[in-house]
Structure formats: C-alpha cells, structure tokens
Amino acid sequence: MEAGGSGDIAAWADLFELEPPEEQQGKKKGLFGRLFTNLSTPRQAISPQIAGIFEGKLVDEDTWEELEEALIAADCGMDATLRVVDHLRKEMAEGRVTGGPTLVTALQKQIAEVTMPTAPKIPLGHEPTVIMVVGVNGSGKTTTVGKLAHRLSDLGQSVVVGAADTFRAAAIDQLSVWTERAGAQLVSQAPGADPGAVAFDAVAAAKSREADVVLIDTAGRLQTQHNLMEELAKVSAVVGKACDGAPHTTLLVLDATTGQNGISQARLFGEVVDLSGVVLTKLDGAARGGVAVAIGQELGLPIQIVGTGETLEDLQPFDPEAYAEAIFSLDASG
Ligand code: GDP
C-alpha cells in the first residue's frame, strides 16, 4: 500500500470494533507491505541467521541448537524459544514438516501463535471511552498518543487528549502540535500541575463536549520510583471518579529496543494499574526484534499496536502473522 495512505484504516476499525469508512469496506487489510519495509532492521539482523540454519543441510541436533541460540539472541526469551523449538521438533518427528522452507513456515506460524494466540480488541462505545497510556520516559508514549488521536479522528471519532505528563513541558508542546494536526482537542495545564487534575479535567471536558474518546498521556514514571508509581495509580483512580469504569483501556508503551528490560517494566506497571495491552514502539530500530515473542509468552499481555517509525503513519494494529513473516523469514533484503 502507499505510505501514509488510508489503506490500513480498515485494520484500525477492526481493532476498535468500528465500522470502517465506506470507501474502505471490503478492502483487505493493507498492512503487510508497509510493515515489511519498516521492519528492515530487525529482518536484516534475524533473517540471515534463520536462512543459514535451515538452508542446504539436513536438520539434526545442531540445527535445533542453532535455532535456539538464534531465537534467544533475537530477544525471544528462554521460555518462548524452548516452546517454539519443541513444537517444531514435534512437527518434524511426526512428518508434518520436512525441512528447509516448510520449517521456516512452521516457525513463523509458531512464533505468531506464541506471540498472540487471540486478537483482542479495544472496544469504544463508552461515553466517553477513556484510554490511558503509561510507560517509562522515552518509550514513545507522547508520540503514540498523537498518532492514536490521528487514527481515531480518521475513523470519525471526536477525541480529547489529556496532557497529564506535566513534568515535561516539551511533552505538552509536542502533544499540542500532534493534536492540532489530528483535529483533536487538547486539555492541558501549566508544567508542574497535578497530573490527576489534568486527567480529571480532560474527562470532564470530553463529557461536556460529548466527545467519543479521551486519550490520557502520563509522565514517564521510572518503575523504581515508588512515589511516581503511586501517583500513576492515583491518576487512574481519579479518572475512575470522573467517569464510571474508566480508564476503560490502559496501554503500556514498551520500547522494543530495550529488549528483555521491557518485560520487567511491564510487571512493575502491572502491579499499580490494570494493564489491557501493550504498544510496542521502535520495532523498526530493534536489531533484536524478537521481544514481542517474549512479551506474548511471559506476560500474557496482548501486543495491540506497534510503532514502526517516527512519522504519523508509523503506528499499526499488531498483526502477529505479518510480524513473524516480516522478521523471521528467508529474505533479508529491504
Ligand atoms: P515519551 O517520553 O514516552 O512520551 O516518549 P516520546 O513520545 O517523546 O518519544 C521518544 C522518542 O522516540 C521520540 O524521538 C520519538 O520520535 C521516538 N519514537 C516514538 N515511537 C517511535 C517508533 O515507533 N519508532 C521510532 N524509530 N522512533 C519512535
């Protein structure tokens, strides 16, 4: 599909359980081409190894060991690696795969299965639906909120953005630019203001304007700083007072380039807020892009969205099959 076009809007509509815009109805999800192009860094790191393991020789014990090493080196984590390799061994022993390309196809299928067995949605339809975005500094929260505002506006949703990352003046400025471009409304206060108050105001503003969705950006709370984590729990509670059942979705933003560290971040955030799913950012720059597999296996948290670049369009609903095909392939070109 064309870069920056609206061809993937049908996939976004699917994620949010909305009707796609009329001109998109019946269109196949057009995500794969763009994902393939944007993920050339992880593909170039992982695919030659996969090709080297499977091409032109018989599959023996060494092959399985090499595959284990390659998956661990790619950040897939020990548990997921053993699960994937055990499954492939079984497939081979039972004659369902015979080696070479059929093994790579089976590998991709298994990677997708371990990463995300079901495709959960982010239901809208509350009045308003409140989506809170959390994660450590620099993971890509503010960028993701801006990109999401844009996507939701494209889907005909009226969006209010709450700039509750009040510690960083730059985050408020950045959001103001992104939300204006998205045609969304920004609710912010001066830097240093109480994040809970900003979040509360954003939900109240959305209610009075009858907006559909509130996106709440939060400060980059280092998981070791307990007072900041407590404050995050407070923001979540305050939002619940402003609107019944809110936040309806809490997305944890993880930077794919931080690898296994992301897993421990997720656990700590999960202790203070009720996480719904993960936005995995910077997958485009992750030389060890297998961390999505480890997240799926070890956290049981669905990856719902991936960030694959710095432009407005570089955010996509996560498609585990497309991910596995793009990164664990025999083709390292592009
Ligand atoms: P925050 O501190 O969590 O709010 O992080 P920001 O949204 O400010 O993002 C930090 C940096 O990461 C910025 O330079 C973004 O442009 C960059 N970034 C965010 N998402 C992505 C992505 O998916 N890919 C790449 N390559 N860069 C990203």
Side-chain angles (χ1 to χ4, degrees):
M1 60 162 280
E2 74 282 18
S6 58
D8 63 355
I9 203 75
W12 281 106
D14 191 39
L15 178 69
F16 292 117
E17 296 188 314
L18 295 168
E19 283 291 310
E22 228 168 81
E23 69 275 15
Q24 294 294 324
Q25 285 183 13
K27 273 201 185 174
K28 213 173 156 297
K29 292 183 199 173
L31 288 172
F32 190 66
R34 187 170 178 79
L35 191 70
F36 201 78
T37 311
N38 284 12
L39 297 189
S40 63
T41 300
R43 180 169 58 259
Q44 280 165 3
I46 299 173
S47 294
Q49 290 199 44
I50 302 289
I53 293 167
F54 287 130
E55 268 177 358
K57 60 178 184 200
L58 285 174
V59 176
D60 57 18
E61 268 312 302
D62 287 348
T63 314
W64 301 121
E65 267 176 36
E66 283 171 37
L67 181 60
E68 276 178 16
E69 279 166 22
L71 295 180
I72 287 167
D75 254 349
C76 295
M78 184 62 88
D79 289 357
T81 296
L82 294 180
R83 188 171 150 198
V84 167
V85 174
D86 281 354
H87 180 89
L88 292 183
R89 275 176 181 267
K90 204 162 161 243
E91 295 261 288
M92 186 104 187
E94 292 172 3
R96 281 190 294 275
V97 292
T98 47
T102 59
L103 253 174
V104 175
T105 308
L107 170 70
Q108 290 168 345
K109 219 173 136 224
Q110 192 54 20
I111 292 268
E113 175 66 30
V114 170
T115 307
M116 195 166 75
T118 54
K121 312 286 181 193
I122 302 178
L124 303 181
H126 302 275
E127 290 177 348
T129 300
V130 181
I131 301 177
M132 190 164 89
V133 178
V134 304
V136 299
N137 248 343
S139 57
K141 283 180 307 299
T142 305
T143 309
T144 298
V145 167
K147 290 172 176 174
L148 270 179
H150 171 75
R151 289 302 180 200
L152 286 161
S153 297
D154 278 355
L155 286 163
Q157 301 294 295
S158 53
V159 180
V160 171
V161 173
D165 181 357
T166 57
F167 288 98
R168 238 171 20 109
I172 304 174
D173 296 343
Q174 193 187 339
L175 263 190
S176 136
V177 175
W178 287 97
T179 46
E180 200 180 316
R181 271 207 268 166
Q185 283 170 316
L186 181 72
V187 172
S188 63
Q189 289 184 18
D194 174 28
V198 176
F200 188 92
D201 282 358
V203 177
K207 277 176 140 176
S208 75
R209 293 167 193 168
E210 298 186 356
D212 301 307
V213 185
V214 186
L215 298 172
I216 302 200
D217 189 20
T218 59
R221 286 144 216 290
L222 282 179
Q223 68 273 25
T224 45
Q225 297 185 2
H226 287 290
N227 56 335
L228 291 177
M229 288 301 242
E230 273 164 28
E231 198 173 85
L232 184 59
K234 201 178 108 192
V235 171
S236 181
V238 162
V239 162
K241 281 193 189 126
C243 176
D244 258 1
H248 304 98
T249 291
T250 301
L251 296 173
L252 174 67
V253 177
L254 291 180
D255 175 344
T257 64
T258 61
Q260 295 290 316
N261 193 22
I263 309 275
S264 57
Q265 280 173 26
R267 290 212 171 92
L268 287 157
F269 276 94
E271 285 170 15
V272 287
V273 286
D274 191 7
L275 296 174
S276 324
V278 169
V279 179
L280 189 61
T281 57
K282 309 188 198 178
L283 198 51
D284 52 306
R288 293 143 57 98
V291 73
V293 187
I295 292 170
Q297 168 73 23
E298 290 175 40
L299 297 175
L301 262 184
I303 298 169
Q304 295 185 293
I305 297 170
V306 283
T308 55
E310 294 193 84
T311 76
L312 203 55
E313 290 77 28
D314 294 325
L315 192 75
Q316 303 172 344
F318 183 59
D319 178 338
E321 276 102 32
Y323 158 77
E325 280 176 46
I327 297 187
F328 298 85
S329 72
L330 292 176
D331 173 14
S333 64

